[in-house]
Amino acid sequence: MDSRAFDEERPRAVAAVSSSGTAPAVRCMGVVKRFREPLEADEAEAERGWRERIGLLGRRSRPVEALRGIDLVVPAGSVYGVLGANGSGKSTLIRLLATLLLPDAGRLEVFGHDVVCEAAAVRRRINRVSVEASFFKSLSAWENLLYAARLYGLPPRAARERSAAVLERLGLPAQKLRARVETLSRGQQQKVAVARALLTTPDLLLLDEPTTGLDPRSKREVQEFLGEIHAREGTTILLTTHDMDEVERLCDRVAILDGGRVVAEGTVAELKLRFAGSESADMEEVFLRCTS
Amino acid sequence: MHELSAGWGLLERNFHLIRRYLSWEAVDFFYNVVNAVTIALIGVRGGPSMVLYLLVGALLWNFLSIIFNEVANSVQWERWEGTIEYTFMAPIRRLTYLLGVSAWAVLYATLRTGLVLAVVALFFRMPLRAADLGAALVVLLVASASFIGIGLVAAILPLMSPERGAQATHIVQGALLLVSGVYYEVSALPVWLQPLSWLSPATYTLRAERAALLHGAGLGQLLPALGILVLFALVTIPAGYAAFRAAERYALRTGRLHRNG
């Protein structure tokens, strides 16, 4: 199937789910997001005026479209994967859903709540793990978790019990809670980030490359744990990743982004059949065929 | 209740951060003490009143600067640590966040300035027999509110410009230091600059504090200055909050909180 033909079918499919009555976990309709990107050094040099030269003005920039009319539906209770090359718009999509960006056009809903007009309602139902560890690095893991618990109105005792249970399951010894985050390895920091996101039992967990940079064992521990959480608590998971095995292992459905557009969407088996001709094909082959 | 817990969480978090960066605090504290003592020593030839006049300026400027910096740099600090997105994604009102930051600023400034005062008192005999300390304290609290308002306005700068915003807050602070009569009477300024002193709450704070500490002025006599400071707070806090919200929307629209991919 040609990805252009797929592009034309998407809005109709999203509208069909929209009229079905039950609110999906995520619904994106014609979402566009633009940023300004600094010019390359040689282009900037050519356009520099006297104000740039003496530092009065910053570097010149040009507009770039990170998302170009995304239509997407993530069913409640599913694990939904978003694949895409670097710069394809995956993190931008996650940030829009996390109420950390405003769309330039289109509409995004989380469990029926508009992310722009009802940001507070959305924030109560989500949490996010980003690719970079966003912690106060000089504080201990526990001090960071306590801060998160306070922000979400969780009593410290409940926060300690829950985070200790999660970290134990992820193979991080309880005494590591007292260690400064800056002394923990990347894998350990990411496990603390997962524990922090799950403190609040979110209905929608946004995971932006949560296993990037982890060793195989840590990666497997995090993946298994996410599978358990999904099975036990019915948490909807929206996961961006570059790891094809992770997608095959965890995701019910997958969308592939390329240049800010959804170029393919379906179950892993559907995508393999559609783009590689066989359900036993490699997911990496599907990815390479879909992306430029 | 949840908002209260979040506000407390901000105080607790900042306390933990101070504890972790205690060596920075010690260096800052040492500098504050030396700065206050050095400035007060300039006035020794003018007698104890002159010393007290300069000390009030140094200590009060220290107090107001801490409040201003804590509020104005709260965003910059979180941006530096990489936590700003996590904090801004939490289901709390932005007002709660800003009130938590402001409450911490007042508590921390009071403690730090109190400690500096305690050490500086070992160097000088301060003629406080005539002082109305209660009135001086009231002025300090009311002035805090108006400085929080200005801090909120300055806090938008790091939101709007991640690279230069924090440095730009020094311009605001420097301008207030110049025009407010911290170490000299406003009348010492060039005539064309003097009207700017009317726009600084520090001008009225310093005048009222000096009147209370040097001349024993009571609350009754300080009412006009207190009224102006209350007015400043009533204008700058809502204006600062509105500006912060507008700057936050700008940051969300342009991806200034953070962006990659």
Side-chain angles (χ1 to χ4, degrees), chain B residues 159-225:
Chain B
L159 263 182
M160 296 180 73
S161 173
E163 288 163 2
R164 300 164 194 206
Q167 287 81 353
T169 61
H170 294 309
I171 297 173
V172 180
Q173 203 177 0
L176 292 175
L177 175 63
L178 176 68
V179 303
S180 304
V182 177
Y183 303 118
Y184 42 79
E185 287 299 311
V186 169
S187 55
L189 289 169
V191 177
W192 59 270
L193 206 53
Q194 288 180 20
L196 286 180
S197 69
W198 307 337
L199 300 173
S200 165
T203 305
Y204 308 97
T205 310
L206 284 154
R207 249 181 233 159
E209 286 290 357
R210 282 175 176 141
L213 293 172
L214 289 164
H215 310 297
L219 280 178
Q221 290 162 281
L222 299 177
L223 269 182

Side-chain angles (χ1 to χ4, degrees), chain B residues 16-36:
Chain B
H16 288 143
L17 283 169
I18 291 288
R19 233 162 27 108
R20 284 284 184 263
Y21 292 105
L22 213 53
S23 52
W24 293 13
E25 290 301 310
V27 172
D28 259 7
F29 178 72
F30 174 76
Y31 180 79
N32 288 157
V33 169
V34 170
N35 186 50

Side-chain angles (χ1 to χ4, degrees), chain B residues 216-231:
Chain B
L219 280 178
Q221 290 162 281
L222 299 177
L223 269 182
L226 284 170
I228 292 171
L229 287 173
V230 168
L231 199 64

Side-chain angles (χ1 to χ4, degrees), chain A residues 110-166:
Chain A
V110 171
F111 295 107
H113 298 290
D114 186 292
V115 298
V116 177
C117 306
E118 300 169 273
V122 171
R123 286 171 183 160
R124 277 193 285 274
R125 300 190 69 172
I126 63 166
N127 216 314
R128 165 177 172 255
V129 177
S130 58
V131 64
E132 66 281 311
S134 43
F135 289 110
F136 289 96
K137 305 201 181 41
S138 61
L139 298 188
S140 70
W142 166 242
E143 285 163 347
N144 274 285
L145 291 170
L146 180 63
Y147 172 55
R150 300 274 194 214
L151 287 182
Y152 284 82
L154 199 69
R157 179 184 280 194
R160 189 178 273 279
E161 284 168 6
R162 189 163 170 85
S163 53
V166 172

